[in-house]
Every structure is written in structure tokens, then in C-alpha cells.
Amino acid sequence: MFRRTATATASAFAALAAAAALALTASTTATATAATAPGFVNGADLPPHPGSPWYAGQVTQGLPEFAPLCLEGVLPAQGSWHRTFGTEFDTGALQISVRAASASAAAKLAGTLERKVAACAADWLRATPGGTASWEDYGKLPVEEGAHVYGVHTSIPESEPGVHLYGIGRDGSTVTVVQWGQMGDLSHAPVADFRKTTTRAVNKLNP
């Protein structure tokens, strides 16, 4: 397990929090059919919330309207599906799955996603003077062609901090990323349950 922390000087976390909330709830209008979409997790597969059930959106073709924090500009629209999840509180989740042209292309995409998440805290700090950020590498999971779990925490003064977990995995030519997020820091992240979520997400891909 690895940990990196960093601090900078100025800017506003309110805009980031709003963008992250939209990323967890926005969806495109085209709905994928069960025959063509990869398998997706259900609300019951996500880390349990102590005060609310999970509400699952439809599996929808294409990318969500707003890219998830840390993964802006790296997920291809072609071959993508997504599903958003919410609770009655500030906790939300998003799964995006991509069918690549080949297993090697999927492996390359998964590697790119992992590098982006691992660099996210430092990248966010460069764009957010005055903020603080940290990340955790929660390790690899032995499922199909492999999966990896990370955590990212961001905060600025006089604003609520945000924490996100990312599970990135691959089965053949299909890649999936699951993002979970809420207010708080890495100490509030349900890592053990989210590792199970990531394993289920990869096992359900049906490549």
C-alpha cells in the first residue's frame, strides 16, 4: 500500500464538488440493450450505506455527460456504457465500461486509467492552489485479467472535503471503472467493501 500527500495555495473546492456530484448523476439519453451492453453491478453490489438504500439508474450507452473526477478526457465514447447510482445523502457512484477493439487495446486503456488516477491528487493540486490532496494505492485484485483499487481525497479551506474510490479492471477486451464518492477523507472510505464491489464489477462484464 502506498500513500502520497500534497498541499498547495488558493482556489475553490465548491466547483469541484458540484462537478463530482453531476458526474455521479448525469447520464446520456440512449439506453443500451442487454444483448450488447457489458454486465453492470447493481446497488446491492456497492458498499452498504448506513442511512439509505442505493438507487440505480439504467445502463445507458455512451459516456456520462460529465467525466468522473480524475478521468477527464481519457475514456473513449465509442464502445462505452455507463450506469449511475445515488443515495438519499451525499454518497454516489458511477460505473463506466468500455469494449475495446482488442484485448491489447483494452490493456492499454486500463493502464492509462490507472496512471491517471494515481497522478490525480498531484494534478488536482497543480490546478487548485491552496488545496490539499492525498491518494492511496489499495492494491491489485486477482480477478480475470486483473483489477486495481485506488483512493483520492481533495479539499480546500472552508469547504467540505471529498473522497473517491476507484476500481479499474479488465476481462478480455472489456475494461470497467467503478467510482464511489462522498464528503469526507480517506479514513471514511469503505475500502474492504469497495474491493468486493470491484471484483463483482469485473466478474459481471461478460466480454
Side-chain angles (χ1 to χ4, degrees):
M1 185 184 296
F2 307 94
R3 182 176 179 81
R4 303 287 186 274
T5 2
T7 308
T9 55
S11 199
F13 180 69
L16 175 76
L22 286 170
L24 296 174
T25 56
S27 64
T28 58
T29 55
T31 301
T33 65
T36 58
F40 275 71
V41 295
N42 300 308
D45 297 316
L46 294 168
H49 191 284
S52 171
W54 282 98
Y55 303 101
Q58 290 186 327
V59 174
T60 303
Q61 195 165 23
L63 295 174
E65 184 179 356
F66 296 94
L69 176 70
C70 301
L71 297 178
E72 297 89 345
V74 295
L75 287 158
Q78 184 173 1
S80 294
W81 286 263
H82 71 275
R83 189 177 204 180
T84 58
F85 303 85
T87 65
E88 296 170 6
F89 297 92
D90 68 322
T91 308
L94 170 68
Q95 183 181 4
I96 301 173
S97 295
V98 181
R99 282 216 172 102
S102 64
S104 60
K108 183 177 179 180
L109 175 60
T112 298
L113 297 177
E114 289 189 30
R115 288 190 295 274
K116 285 287 288 184
V117 171
C120 183
D123 290 344
W124 185 85
L125 283 174
R126 281 190 286 272
T128 315
T132 61
S134 60
W135 71 284
E136 288 271 8
D137 182 340
Y138 293 116
K140 298 181 179 181
L141 300 174
V143 54
E144 300 300 342
E145 272 68 64
H148 210 135
V149 174
Y150 300 88
V152 176
H153 162 255
T154 56
S155 180
I156 64 168
E158 301 180 2
S159 180
E160 292 289 345
V163 59
H164 298 272
L165 294 175
Y166 297 83
I168 300 163
R170 179 172 72 92
D171 186 0
S173 60
T174 306
V175 176
T176 196
V177 53
V178 184
Q179 181 199 42
W180 170 99
Q182 69 174 30
M183 293 181 184
D185 57 36
L186 290 168
S187 69
H188 301 117
V191 176
D193 284 335
F194 188 76
R195 286 171 62 88
K196 295 176 185 177
T197 296
T198 301
T199 298
R200 291 168 188 159
V202 176
N203 277 329
K204 288 187 172 186
L205 283 177
N206 305 322

